Amino acid sequence: MKLFSPWIFAGLVIMNIALLAVIWLGRPAGRPPHGQPFGMGHEGPRLQHYLESKLNFDEKQKQAYETLIHEHRRQIDSLHLAIQEAKKDLYSKGLSQNDSIISQKQNQIANLIAKQEQINFDHFRKVRDKVCNPQQQQELDNMIGEVLEQVSRPPR
């Protein structure tokens, strides 16, 4: 006795392949990315407000911080695109690639992610050194773990 017709089975297989492709290759165009680091996505404005209020930035400091945020976002946005392209390249060639090519592409992705973390670290160092006064620097040093926890949470 047939439980599924061949057409239903084929349709389910195609839908599963399409779902896997979306998961592996990235988000569909027009959808916001999830889980982006520091200042990107929905976390950025909330983190900016949090730091400004916790550190009691004056207007001049807020403007300087805003300039650093724009620079940081520009760097991170271009790097995020490079990471997405590297991931697409890894998966678009199929799963039958030889191990050395796979390893090379994974190392490329890892290097881009390491660069992203360096940019994030440098951003907070610039905020500390160029925007904060000595008292605010100490406060930022004390709360940086809390800040990193906020931006490292997985999306809900």
Side-chain angles (χ1 to χ4, degrees):
M1 176 167 135
K2 284 187 171 179
L3 294 177
F4 290 106
S5 78
W7 292 107
I8 293 175
F9 181 75
L12 290 173
V13 168
I14 290 171
M15 288 187 336
N16 281 324
I17 291 171
L19 177 62
L20 288 173
V22 168
I23 290 170
W24 284 338
L25 299 178
R27 62 186 170 79
R31 301 259 332 253
H34 296 297
Q36 293 179 337
F38 303 107
M40 294 175 66
H42 67 283
E43 288 296 333
R46 195 170 84 198
L47 177 62
Q48 180 180 355
H49 177 71
Y50 177 77
L51 283 176
E52 287 174 352
S53 65
K54 279 290 232 184
L55 297 173
N56 289 322
F57 282 169
D58 61 26
E59 286 305 312
K60 185 177 177 182
Q61 288 175 311
K62 286 180 183 179
Q63 289 175 353
Y65 182 40
E66 185 76 28
T67 300
L68 290 177
I69 288 172
H70 287 298
E71 174 188 332
H72 179 254
R73 284 183 183 155
R74 183 186 50 77
Q75 292 174 327
I76 290 295
D77 284 347
S78 66
L79 196 55
H80 181 72
L81 290 174
I83 291 169
Q84 290 302 103
E85 287 301 314
K87 286 181 180 182
K88 284 180 186 178
D89 189 42
L90 172 64
Y91 287 101
S92 68
K93 303 287 193 272
L95 301 176
S96 63
Q97 299 176 70
N98 71 44
D99 289 343
S100 66
I101 292 174
I102 292 170
S103 179
Q104 179 185 17
K105 290 179 183 184
Q106 289 170 335
N107 286 336
Q108 177 189 7
I109 293 167
N111 289 336
L112 290 169
I113 291 171
K115 186 175 180 182
Q116 180 177 343
E117 286 305 313
Q118 184 64 49
I119 290 170
N120 290 333
F121 184 85
D122 291 345
H123 170 71
F124 280 111
R125 180 176 275 166
K126 287 176 188 174
V127 170
R128 183 187 187 281
D129 295 344
K130 293 182 179 184
V131 177
C132 297
N133 64 37
Q135 180 182 0
Q136 292 167 328
Q137 288 176 345
Q138 185 61 45
E139 181 65 27
L140 181 59
D141 289 346
N142 293 337
M143 64 187 267
I144 195 67
E146 188 179 326
V147 169
L148 293 176
E149 183 180 312
Q150 273 191 6
V151 296
S152 298
R153 287 188 194 129
R156 296 180 189 191

